[in-house]
Amino acid sequence: MPELPEVEIVRQSLNKKVKQKKVKKVIVRNRNLRLKIPVNFNSYFFNKKIIKVGRFSKYLIIYLPEDNYCLIHLGMSGTIHIVNNKSVNKYTNTSFYNSPFLPKKHNHVELVFENFKIIYNDPRRFGFFQLIKSNSDLIKRFNHLGPEPFDKNFNLNYVYNFFKGKNKDIKNFLLDQKFVSGIGNIYASEILFLSKINPIKKAKLLSKKECQKIIINSRKILLKAISMGGSSIRDFKDALGFKGGFQNEFKVYQQEGIECKNIGCSDLIRKKITSNRSTFFCDSCQK
């Protein structure tokens, strides 16, 4: 599943293409995604101008006229493709983890504009579209989620007090969207390595200094990943044919058995399964 940086790359690609463009036609081939697409879906888009494309955590937000919004979550296999009408796209995929080309099957939703169309493809159908009818409802929709790492509320007071008395390990907290939104398995491992904190350390044992490291390094890692186009774990190219580059910067994720990249450390990166997730770390550097 794409994490915050990958969804941000999709947002940037979409916003550049559809901002202030009018939808000429809506095609829904399959309403049965994780959330069933409502029968009035067409009326929210047809002949309407897209104001902009935003994002919160791992959700795309299409801003529509009359204080309406459409959330898109890509799920496990959802991808968004941009197809131009008058020129042949070598690459269509703005998303991650699947083919850079538009697949022939599982194209569930199309938004058709004057010179191009946006196609949502999802073989496993775990993604969804959700219509939101007011800004207050949009805010309520995310009430169950914690702040993003970039949010001013993700600060030392919040993090340190959240961890008080908590027995759960720090890696699981970074994956807990109720604590902080947008971080997944890749970036949690990289953040903890940079912070020199063992992923299985209990959250209640973290000092204020360690909490501050997590805050600073969460922002540092995610911003660097965004600047490098995200992490291309599989055969990904964006709509311009470029791969993400942050996978070349991995220090621990998927580096099991490789020598630690910290200067002066010759230990090997270890892999441990915690809560059914692969956790990568250096036992010498991360305490």
Side-chain angles (χ1 to χ4, degrees), residues 109-250:
V109 178
E110 292 187 21
L111 299 178
V112 181
F113 297 81
E114 185 172 354
N115 296 314
F116 66 94
K117 56 187 175 181
I118 303 296
I119 300 176
Y120 177 75
N121 180 281
D122 193 349
R124 299 178 70 181
R125 291 186 286 122
F126 288 155
F128 63 80
F129 289 69
Q130 183 179 14
L131 298 173
I132 307 290
K133 299 179 181 180
S134 69
N135 183 255
S136 60
D137 285 346
L138 181 66
I139 293 170
K140 288 177 185 176
R141 176 63 177 79
F142 297 125
N143 274 348
H144 67 293
L145 298 176
E148 286 192 344
F150 306 123
D151 195 306
K152 64 180 181 180
N153 293 318
F154 189 65
N155 54 40
L156 182 58
N157 183 59
Y158 169 75
V159 173
Y160 185 71
N161 287 322
F162 197 100
F163 287 162
K164 281 184 177 178
K166 301 293 197 329
N167 281 311
K168 193 160 69 172
D169 65 58
I170 179 56
K171 167 76 180 306
N172 277 322
F173 267 116
L174 288 183
L175 297 179
D176 185 349
Q177 303 301 297
K178 294 178 182 178
F179 166 60
V180 59
S181 294
I183 297 174
N185 205 33
I186 294 172
Y187 298 108
S189 293
E190 295 297 316
I191 289 164
L192 290 171
F193 177 77
L194 188 59
S195 303
K196 297 186 176 181
I197 296 171
N198 194 295
I200 61 175
K201 187 172 184 175
K202 292 185 184 301
K204 68 180 181 180
L205 300 178
L206 292 173
S207 66
K208 284 189 175 181
K209 185 177 180 180
E210 288 174 318
C211 291
Q212 190 65 48
K213 282 183 179 180
I214 288 171
I215 295 165
I216 292 170
N217 290 329
S218 293
R219 293 168 180 163
K220 184 176 181 179
I221 290 289
L222 295 178
L223 283 171
K224 187 172 184 180
I226 291 169
S227 73
M228 298 185 73
S231 300
S232 293
I233 304 301
R234 300 180 193 166
D235 185 19
F236 167 78
K237 290 184 176 68
D238 66 17
L240 297 175
F242 297 114
K243 282 190 173 186
F246 191 72
Q247 69 279 1
N248 299 321
E249 300 292 318
F250 288 166

Side-chain angles (χ1 to χ4, degrees), residues 22-27 42 45-47 110-113:
K22 186 177 287 188
V23 178
K24 299 292 186 180
K25 186 178 181 180
V26 180
I27 301 170
N42 185 301
F45 284 92
F46 176 67
N47 217 26
E110 292 187 21
L111 299 178
V112 181
F113 297 81

